[in-house]
Amino acid sequence: MARKQLQNLTEPMYYILLCLLKPLHGYGIMQEVDRITNGRVKVGAGTLYALLSRFEKEEIVIKTEVINSKKNYIITEKGNKLLINEHNRLKQLVLDGHNLLGGEIDGKG
Amino acid sequence: MAKDKKKVIRFRSITEYKNLESYLNKMALKGWMLSEIKQTVLTFKKIEAKELEFNVSLLNNMSVFDYPDESINKEYNEICEESGWKKCTSNMTYHIYYKDKNSKATLIHTDSQEEYDIVKSVYKKTEFSNPILLLMMLVMSMVNSFSFNYKVLLGHRSLFNYSFPFIMLIITLILTVPSLIWFRINKENAINNKQLFSFSDKFVNMKNLTQISLMVFYSLAFIFSHFSDSLFGNSRVSLIIFFPTIVSLVLSYYFSKRFKTKKRTRKQNKRFFILSIIAFFIINMTVVTSIMFSNVGSYGRYEVVENKNNYLQLKDFYSDVIEEKNFLESDKSFFIKEYKSYLSYGKNVELSSISTKYYEGINESITNYIFDDIIKEKNKNYNRYNEYEIELGSLEKFEDILLELDTKVWEIDRGYFLNSTKTELILQLDNRIYYIYASLDFMDKSIINICREKLNLNY
């Protein structure tokens, strides 16, 4: 089930991996996701913890150094590939939609 | 209990975590703050009444075999606290946080699928036995519903044993079904990232109250049925029933203290647990069987010393009986005023034993049912043991050997001989049934008169 889910990432998963392109600790990830999405996507502590545990198990992220007694995480090579694939998939989605909707974005022509 | 502390017993399923949150919110409004959470007991301390919002988080990375190590969840605590939540308390499964109602903090669980997955994972670890128990009780109830007979009515213990699966079925239904409904509904909600459904507080409170009431009723019925059951003969033997339960409770308390007070690995604790269970099983079997075998002479029966009038003895028919002994089993229940089974035996050339059974129902319907069911049972056993001979034609069918007694001579309502040699008979007078088995000529008027006199059939 977990393996199948990680082929298509949910929004929180996608943004967490984006944030981990550079080393970051738990609460820092939550703040960064909030900032990038202008508050649209919220990741709770429990959700973040569960996702980080799953990512670690799948070797998509690893722990790096401990700074100010906080564990930091960073994306791995495998995680990077997954993120790029997901990004490309989402780009294709938007492109296909753009072609079929004839450039109508947000109801504008 | 000091006024600034109180304990509340609260049974709950893991799927009721949202109801726990609203319960804690209400308690905080009344000035009680949760200070400790155990399996079924919540401890509160007195605080100034506040409007707080609680968030129950589920983590199940520890088992009963683990030494409680807060450092395992240190990172989790830090993230929660940095995001605006304060730690209230936790146990192996529940990690409870709170904040002021007006302060803004992201909820601890923001993804429905993740929340659903963790509840499911915790449920599998902590409540996996409930659906299995439900299935077992369902099967036992079905088996019991086909095996009801008059013997169930004879004593409180037999009534309890018969009804046990039905009571447990209701309890396990209440325990299991709401959780299964929760998973069914929320499986869809999780996929669609909708907020997870939870039952109303009223429903959960009613469910838990019903469950507790039934469990209390069941426990009281268990105690009553075993201590009121004179079929065991004495309460010392009845205590065998409680010995494994009491020892289990003592052992589980000891394990809990041992695992939680000294740091050992999970493997070491599991090994100790398994060895203890094996040792407990061996000791338990040794103690129980030695008690039972040491009382085998009087198990269920005790020797009658006084001269009772409502059973037959060898000396009623033969004056030269040597070493006569008379044994009695007796019982009663809500349906039977009295059930007595006598066995009189001794040394005599013509007759070595007489068995008399006496049943007195609370009303005619019950008595009629018992009478008919005894004959039905005899019929069934006769046909089962003599099936081959009956098919060959070398033995009569039961309905052919079932001969009516002369009700006028016996002055009874009805009666039958139950075997071809006419040494086994059953008779009914009002709410009383007598079953007699002895190698006597029960067609002989003098024998009949002795029986009538001795069994009080004159009134």
Side-chain angles (χ1 to χ4, degrees):
Chain A
M1 180 72 178
R3 196 162 285 281
K4 211 172 179 180
Q5 269 185 306
L6 288 171
Q7 285 169 5
N8 292 328
L9 303 176
T10 60
E11 261 193 314
M13 287 178 179
Y14 180 72
Y15 282 108
I16 289 168
L17 289 176
L18 273 180
C19 294
L20 290 177
L21 286 167
K22 56 182 192 302
L24 212 49
H25 60 82
Y27 184 57
I29 299 169
M30 287 171 68
Q31 288 177 307
E32 190 64 8
V33 169
D34 193 53
R35 188 188 69 77
I36 294 171
T37 62
N38 286 324
R40 188 177 60 80
V41 176
K42 301 265 186 210
V43 181
T47 303
L48 174 68
Y49 188 78
L51 290 175
L52 286 175
S53 303
R54 195 192 295 174
F55 288 159
E56 265 193 289
K57 210 171 161 186
E58 296 281 335
E59 294 170 349
I60 288 162
V61 305
I62 47 164
K63 287 193 179 89
T64 58
E65 57 216 320
V66 176
I67 302 170
N68 295 332
S69 74
K70 286 179 187 163
K71 288 177 196 165
N72 280 254
Y73 296 84
I74 194 161
I75 198 167
T76 61
E77 189 71 39
K78 183 181 175 184
N80 214 20
K81 274 186 194 160
L82 183 72
L83 187 59
I84 290 168
N85 286 342
E86 181 66 11
H87 178 71
N88 290 337
R89 187 185 74 88
L90 290 168
K91 266 198 318 191
Q92 189 61 50
L93 277 171
V94 172
L95 200 62
D96 293 341
H98 191 81
N99 290 338
L100 288 169
L101 290 166
E104 281 183 29
I105 300 167
D106 292 337
K108 293 170 193 170
Chain B
M1 182 68 52
K3 285 178 191 170
D4 58 353
K5 214 176 175 186
K6 77 170 174 183
K7 288 187 190 276
V8 173
I9 295 173
R10 194 176 166 90
F11 288 94
R12 61 188 174 271
S13 164
I14 216 87
T15 55
E16 292 161 11
Y17 65 101
K18 283 290 173 202
N19 305 97
L20 180 60
E21 283 174 7
S22 55
Y23 173 71
L24 296 176
N25 294 346
K26 285 173 190 161
M27 289 298 279
L29 265 179
K30 291 178 187 172
W32 291 101
M33 177 68 150
L34 182 72
S35 61
E36 196 183 3
I37 180 165
K38 286 191 176 167
Q39 198 62 23
T40 50
V41 178
L42 307 176
T43 308
F44 291 87
K45 64 181 183 209
K46 194 88 184 95
I47 56 163
E48 199 184 302
K50 280 181 202 174
E51 228 178 331
L52 298 175
E53 193 177 311
F54 282 82
N55 205 291
V56 173
S57 179
L58 301 173
L59 273 181
N60 197 238
N61 45 14
M62 287 208 286
S63 75
V64 289
F65 300 108
D66 290 318
Y67 178 74
D69 188 352
E70 280 302 313
S71 63
I72 291 172
N73 298 317
K74 188 182 169 197
E75 187 188 0
Y76 186 80
N77 280 336
E78 279 171 358
I79 300 174
C80 289
E81 284 175 356
E82 278 179 307
S83 60
W85 294 91
K86 292 173 198 161
K87 178 81 179 283
C88 175
T89 186
S90 65
N91 66 5
M92 222 165 50
T93 311
Y94 293 92
H95 294 254
I96 299 174
Y97 296 86
Y98 69 96
K99 66 172 179 70
D100 288 327
K101 188 158 178 157
N102 298 322
S103 90
K104 285 182 183 173
T106 310
L107 287 173
I108 293 175
H109 297 285
T110 48
D111 185 65
S112 299
Q113 185 66 62
E114 176 262 325
E115 201 174 342
Y116 174 87
D117 287 343
I118 203 162
V119 172
K120 192 174 175 183
S121 147
V122 173
Y123 183 88
K124 276 184 187 171
K125 283 183 191 172
T126 58
E127 294 176 44
F128 68 95
S129 58
N130 291 351
I132 297 169
L133 199 62
L134 175 63
L135 204 61
M136 272 173 62
M137 291 304 119
L138 197 62
V139 169
M140 282 174 72
S141 301
M142 281 168 64
V143 167
N144 265 25
S145 61
F146 288 117
S147 62
F148 183 83
N149 60 41
Y150 73 95
K151 288 178 184 169
V152 171
L153 303 177
L154 298 183
H156 290 125
R157 190 171 59 92
S158 52
L159 272 173
F160 175 83
N161 288 345
Y162 180 82
S163 55
F164 154 77
F166 300 106
I167 300 170
M168 285 305 291
L169 179 65
I170 298 170
I171 293 174
T172 49
L173 275 171
I174 293 170
L175 202 60
T176 313
V177 169
S179 297
L180 296 179
I181 293 173
W182 188 96
F183 283 111
R184 186 69 193 87
I185 295 173
N186 285 321
K187 191 177 178 181
E188 290 299 317
N189 288 340
I191 290 168
N192 299 321
N193 206 27
K194 282 186 190 169
Q195 191 177 352
L196 297 186
F197 156 86
S198 58
F199 288 103
S200 68
D201 292 345
K202 198 175 173 184
F203 172 82
V204 166
N205 289 340
M206 206 168 62
K207 170 209 158 226
N208 288 333
L209 185 66
T210 311
Q211 190 182 323
I212 292 168
S213 306
L214 280 171
M215 285 167 80
V216 166
F217 165 74
Y218 169 77
S219 306
L220 290 173
F222 176 80
I223 293 166
F224 171 75
S225 68
H226 284 84
F227 278 105
S228 73
D229 182 12
S230 54
L231 210 61
F232 274 107
N234 57 64
S235 60
R236 267 189 305 131
V237 178
S238 291
L239 285 173
I240 293 171
I241 304 297
F242 298 99
F243 176 76
T245 310
I246 293 167
V247 173
S248 303
L249 287 170
V250 168
L251 271 181
S252 59
Y253 178 77
Y254 169 71
F255 287 141
S256 166
K257 286 288 170 197
R258 183 189 162 90
F259 297 160
K260 304 300 175 198
T261 49
K262 190 178 175 185
K263 191 170 184 176
R264 295 178 184 88
T265 64
R266 188 188 281 190
K267 203 175 173 182
Q268 283 175 318
N269 285 335
K270 268 188 180 171
R271 205 182 311 145
F272 180 82
F273 175 76
I274 290 166
L275 288 172
S276 304
I277 291 300
I278 293 169
F280 162 67
F281 183 74
I282 294 169
I283 293 167
N284 187 46
M285 289 304 291
T286 311
V287 168
V288 169
T289 48
S290 56
I291 290 173
M292 281 174 68
F293 278 109
S294 70
N295 282 287
V296 72
S298 61
Y299 183 67
R301 288 185 174 174
Y302 54 88
E303 197 167 347
V304 175
V305 291
E306 50 292 15
N307 188 14
K308 295 274 183 190
N309 270 346
N310 54 353
Y311 73 101
L312 298 171
Q313 289 174 272
L314 289 177
K315 65 182 183 196
D316 296 330
F317 302 93
Y318 298 99
S319 53
D320 58 344
V321 173
I322 305 163
E323 291 177 28
E324 183 178 15
K325 286 191 186 215
N326 299 289
F327 287 93
L328 162 71
E329 279 177 25
S330 79
D331 213 341
K332 62 181 177 187
S333 77
F334 301 119
F335 298 98
I336 304 288
K337 276 187 192 169
E338 221 177 349
Y339 160 68
K340 283 184 158 69
S341 173
Y342 295 97
L343 178 66
S344 174
Y345 71 85
K347 288 183 183 169
N348 179 275
V349 177
E350 289 91 355
L351 184 68
S352 57
S353 68
I354 302 180
S355 170
T356 318
K357 289 187 184 174
Y358 171 71
Y359 307 81
E360 186 179 348
I362 54 162
N363 59 39
E364 208 176 320
S365 304
I366 299 285
T367 315
N368 287 343
Y369 168 77
I370 293 170
F371 186 93
D372 294 336
D373 213 41
I374 291 172
I375 293 180
K376 200 172 154 187
E377 187 191 46
K378 291 284 173 196
N379 186 9
K380 195 173 155 188
N381 290 340
Y382 181 89
N383 291 340
R384 193 195 307 161
Y385 294 124
N386 302 305
E387 191 182 353
Y388 183 64
E389 286 89 344
I390 295 168
E391 263 183 45
L392 278 182
S394 57
L395 256 188
E396 291 175 293
K397 289 182 189 172
F398 184 77
E399 48 258 40
D400 295 329
I401 59 167
L402 191 71
L403 192 67
E404 272 191 67
L405 294 180
D406 189 337
T407 55
K408 283 184 184 154
V409 170
W410 281 90
E411 289 186 41
I412 54 173
D413 295 335
R414 56 175 174 163
Y416 295 93
F417 284 114
L418 296 173
N419 62 3
S420 53
T421 51
K422 299 183 179 56
T423 54
E424 193 181 359
L425 58 146
I426 184 169
L427 37 102
Q428 181 182 356
L429 177 65
D430 302 322
N431 291 350
R432 294 178 283 153
I433 295 171
Y434 294 90
Y435 163 89
I436 305 164
Y437 185 73
S439 297
L440 290 166
D441 180 6
F442 287 106
M443 300 285 277
D444 185 318
K445 269 212 158 162
S446 61
I447 301 283
I448 293 173
N449 285 336
I450 293 171
C451 291
R452 287 189 63 248
E453 180 76 39
K454 202 64 201 296
L455 301 180
N456 293 318
L457 292 175
N458 294 327
Y459 70 92

